[in-house]
Amino acid sequence: MAKKSIPVESGNSKGKSKKKGSAGAAKGAGPLVVASNRKARHDYSIVDTYECGVVLVGTEVKALREGKASLVDAYATIDDGEVWLRGLHIPEYSMGNWTNHSPRRTRKLLLHRGEIDSLMGKVRDGNSTLVPLQLYFVSGRLKVELALARGKQEYDKRQDIKRRTEEREVTRELGRRIKGINA
């Protein structure tokens, strides 16, 4: 009877290593945010969010893996039963050549038919718009967090700022009491 050999790891093997700081670092290690639209949460009240895939060309993916993108003027529309992302700026890939992409081209978003129909009905009713909140990679694929949002009035924005400052003061006071500081 032959003995089965058990492989022993010596510690200096060339196994899988995770790169730090790279946009495509580790597949399956959780979402890696490329760009976020922080102003959207200030300007809009978020009703519902959806995770969408994006149809991209090769140089766009490479530019996104470098961490270059801007969601500042981006919005989504529904045309002929398809959802399109407009105004997303992905700069040209530095190592690209004549096959490089147009930085502000319209990109198709991938959603299920039922989700598209639901969004179409909600947007058509009025007072709602589709705003991208984040671009991120999940398992090597680019996703967009798309929000169904309603615009805020100026007084709503001021009330939100006031509420946040009050909450901040309460947490500071609780921290002082826990530490035993009388101020």
Side-chain angles (χ1 to χ4, degrees):
M1 214 168 171
K3 264 182 154 177
K4 287 188 178 179
S5 64
I6 300 172
V8 178
E9 193 166 322
S10 63
N12 56 3
S13 66
K14 295 181 181 178
K16 294 180 184 177
S17 64
K18 293 182 181 178
K19 296 178 189 175
K20 292 184 179 177
S22 174
K27 288 189 176 183
L32 180 74
V33 177
V34 176
S36 61
N37 190 354
R38 295 176 57 200
K39 188 109 171 123
R41 294 199 186 269
H42 177 72
D43 291 339
Y44 300 98
S45 60
I46 308 302
V47 177
D48 200 6
T49 59
Y50 298 88
E51 184 179 53
C52 313
V54 186
V55 176
L56 299 171
V57 296
T59 55
E60 288 176 327
V61 176
K62 291 179 180 186
L64 286 167
R65 290 205 184 278
E66 289 179 347
K68 299 178 180 176
S70 175
L71 286 170
V72 174
D73 297 326
Y75 63 99
T77 60
I78 303 174
D79 302 327
D80 299 326
E82 295 179 336
V83 183
W84 297 90
L85 185 61
R86 301 176 190 280
L88 169 64
H89 184 265
I90 302 173
E92 290 184 351
Y93 180 54
S94 59
M95 305 296 271
N97 51 17
W98 60 272
T99 60
N100 233 335
H101 64 277
S102 171
R104 287 207 183 264
R105 76 177 186 91
T106 303
R107 294 162 180 95
K108 186 176 180 180
L109 296 180
L110 305 172
L111 284 162
H112 292 284
R113 172 57 48 200
E115 291 174 331
I116 294 173
D117 292 340
S118 170
L119 281 174
M120 204 178 328
K122 291 175 183 176
V123 170
R124 191 180 304 133
D125 289 343
N127 292 343
S128 295
T129 186
L130 296 172
V131 180
L133 298 178
Q134 280 187 340
L135 279 175
Y136 53 93
F137 282 100
V138 175
S139 301
R141 298 179 189 273
L142 185 76
K143 302 289 182 182
V144 174
E145 183 180 8
L146 191 67
L148 180 67
R150 254 188 216 104
K152 286 185 184 176
Q153 299 294 326
E154 196 63 36
Y155 63 86
D156 290 334
K157 296 177 190 178
R158 284 194 297 265
Q159 286 177 348
D160 285 347
I161 292 169
K162 182 180 176 185
R163 181 183 45 81
R164 279 196 304 264
T165 55
E166 288 173 352
E167 288 174 0
R168 198 175 308 125
E169 288 297 322
V170 167
T171 55
R172 283 183 188 158
E173 184 61 32
L174 287 174
R176 288 186 193 121
R177 287 186 182 178
I178 289 171
K179 293 177 185 174
I181 300 171
N182 295 330

